Amino acid sequence: MTQPASTPTVEELEEQERRLVFRRFTHEDAWALGSLLVETARERQAPVAIDIHRAGQQLFHAALPGSAPDNDAWIARKRRVVERYGAASYLVGARHRAKGTTFEESSRLDPDTYAAHGGSFPITVESAGVIGAVTVSGLPQLEDHRMVVEALERFLARL
């Protein structure tokens, strides 16, 4: 599936979050979603690390060839943005850019701890809200974001 080259608007990013919601999210779902992301990354020879957290517990992690320990640090920083704001890391950054500033300038949060760069997306359950995050790191931030969104779309279409 070819993704459009244009940068998504804040409204488009918010629509993704409204649409990509689970009825439930189990350990088995984390394994299946993570495995789907690994399969996608292997097909594209993408040098990424993949992580899925739920309620503070890491349920899935994979590091593909070409990824590095730095990708794990990026994963943690992007995931913390999702956990703090309850929104995709790319969306949080886009909201700041839409206001003519940057996350780093206006959030007053330590950039060594938080990164509003694309690649971490909230795991939202209908009856519970945001319960975790699925994160990819290793590509340019919009590509990280799109890889996660594409996997969520494919995964949720199967349910």
Side-chain angles (χ1 to χ4, degrees), residues 95-157:
R95 285 175 173 158
H96 283 85
R97 289 186 295 277
K99 293 177 185 174
T101 185
T102 66
F103 176 79
E104 295 77 13
E105 290 172 354
S106 59
S107 72
R108 302 181 56 119
L109 296 172
D110 182 353
D112 289 335
T113 304
Y114 295 91
H117 292 257
S120 193
F121 201 93
I123 297 169
T124 305
V125 173
E126 287 174 357
S127 60
V130 176
I131 60 153
V134 53
T135 311
V136 169
S137 175
L139 302 171
Q141 66 169 330
L142 183 53
E143 291 179 42
D144 280 347
H145 175 81
R146 285 184 170 147
M147 184 177 283
V148 172
V149 168
E150 179 185 330
L152 287 168
E153 289 171 341
R154 289 173 57 198
F155 184 83
L156 288 166

Side-chain angles (χ1 to χ4, degrees), residues 19-76:
R19 193 169 39 84
L20 299 173
V21 174
F22 292 82
R23 287 188 303 260
R24 59 170 176 69
F25 192 80
T26 66
H27 286 77
E28 292 78 16
D29 292 326
W31 180 262
L33 176 58
S35 297
L36 176 62
L37 276 161
V38 167
E39 177 185 317
T40 300
R42 282 183 175 154
E43 288 170 1
R44 297 174 186 177
Q45 298 180 337
V48 298
I50 299 160
D51 180 86
I52 300 176
H53 264 70
R54 183 187 71 183
Q57 181 183 21
Q58 185 178 53
L59 300 183
F60 185 93
H61 185 85
L64 278 70
S67 65
D70 195 44
N71 296 121
D72 292 330
W74 275 98
I75 283 170

